[in-house]
Amino acid sequence: MTTLSPALAEMIKVPTDKDVTGAMDALEAAVTGAGAKVFARVDHAAGAASVDMELNDAQLLIFGNPKLGTPLMQVDPVAGAFLPLKVLAYKDAEGQVWLTYQDPADMVAGLNVPADTPVLAKMQGALAKLTGKAAQ
């Protein structure tokens, strides 16, 4: 089985004028408003600060909806290693804040999931809609 390494997989990047916390707050509100469940919010910069290291603002939201994830795992249970979905909000070296996530089709590349599996398009649409709303 061949899979793309995360570094080679396509990452979707959505720019925002919000700061990282504002973007992540907006994303969390959009996710819960859409009926999905937030499982965790990780503050990478705070983690770095806890060991006396510096890192630009970066937060990761981990969320999902069994109505989308379950059908994907029914096609190939190994897809569960890539779920729930994740979106990273971070500030780059130039000060631009981005919402970024891996394209679900790339996420499961190499698994026994056909590229035309309907739930992949639903996940792609949901991620685009949620990050677009959060970025505004």
Side-chain angles (χ1 to χ4, degrees):
M1 171 176 20
T2 303
T3 59
L4 292 173
S5 75
L8 298 177
E10 180 180 353
M11 298 298 290
I12 310 296
K13 294 174 65 176
V14 179
T16 182
D17 291 332
K18 296 178 180 174
D19 64 11
V20 168
T21 298
M24 196 52 67
D25 288 346
L27 179 62
E28 189 168 349
V31 165
T32 58
K37 178 173 176 55
V38 172
F39 296 105
R41 183 167 166 173
V42 179
D43 187 333
H44 290 301
S50 76
V51 293
D52 297 322
M53 297 178 76
E54 291 184 21
L55 185 66
N56 278 348
D57 286 342
Q59 295 183 24
L60 180 73
L61 194 69
I62 303 169
F63 62 94
N65 182 336
K67 289 181 182 179
L68 293 179
T70 302
L72 188 60
M73 292 177 63
Q74 288 173 329
V75 174
D76 188 333
V78 178
F82 302 99
L83 297 172
L85 297 173
K86 298 162 212 58
V87 174
L88 177 71
Y90 72 98
K91 182 168 71 172
D92 68 17
E94 288 77 40
Q96 175 64 55
V97 174
W98 298 92
L99 292 164
T100 189
Y101 59 92
Q102 187 174 10
D103 183 315
D106 286 347
M107 184 174 67
V108 297
L111 301 183
N112 293 321
V113 178
D116 62 350
T117 300
V119 73
L120 286 176
K122 288 179 182 177
M123 285 182 174
Q124 289 166 326
L127 283 164
K129 182 177 180 181
L130 293 168
T131 56
K133 185 172 184 178
Q136 296 178 353

